[in-house]
Amino acid sequence: MPKRVLVVDDEKAIVKGVKFSLEQEGYEVECAYDGEQALSMIKEGHFDIILLDVMLPKMDGFEVCQMVREFSMVPIIMLTAKSDDMDKILGLDNGADDYITKPFNILEVKARVKAILRRIYPVRDEPSEPPRESVIKNGEMKVDCDSRRVFLGDREIRLTSKEFDLLALMITNPNRVYSREKLMDSVWGEGYPGDVRTVDVHVRRLREKIEENPSEPRYVHTKWGEGYFFQR
């Protein structure tokens, strides 16, 4: 079954071009042209990934992303015409998984979409990673790698796809210190053009969700000057 993509942008020429290119790759693509329409479509239908512009009529992309995160962990890639780092950080803080700055190359868009979907829905005929435990427990934490769900005691913790990938990587390799560059390569893919501060934002958001006191973490620790690690 083809993966379903929602493209949200008020510039119809951009939507038309992205839709055409993604359909050539075999995706099923639907479109929305303002924030309210996008939110309504996301609530009513199932999408595997969303390309969401920041500057939208009626409701901006940050608001849409924040509201979607109240009921869904669908991967979201923010599209922004601004190169301001604060816009990128705001998008990540509101729950986005990735961002692309306009003007963009459609090949980059397709590569980012494919990378995120491949990580969430591995292709069966691709070489598999070494086998690992499907359910990993550490204290009150339980990480189910097959269903991509995380629990603290009886409470499920809702993580975005990138937050889950970071946690899964570190918890399966406890006490191993990962530099920000290594985490970027492992989770976002080698050659990802983003800033390594993206990793810091995601780690901070992850801590806010899984740690009782994020400033004194129990699980995800910082080794100053070197990187992050999950403490067994």
Side-chain angles (χ1 to χ4, degrees), residues 79-108:
L79 306 176
T80 172
K82 299 180 180 180
S83 58
D84 187 349
D85 283 344
M86 280 309 299
D87 265 14
K88 299 170 185 176
I89 292 171
L90 270 174
L92 297 174
D93 270 343
N94 282 306
D97 296 274
D98 205 349
Y99 61 83
I100 299 175
T101 303
K102 294 179 180 179
F104 49 73
N105 186 317
I106 191 60
L107 296 177
E108 179 186 2

Side-chain angles (χ1 to χ4, degrees), residues 1-4 26-28 48:
M1 182 179 295
K3 295 293 182 285
R4 299 189 70 224
Y27 298 109
E28 182 180 319
D48 296 292

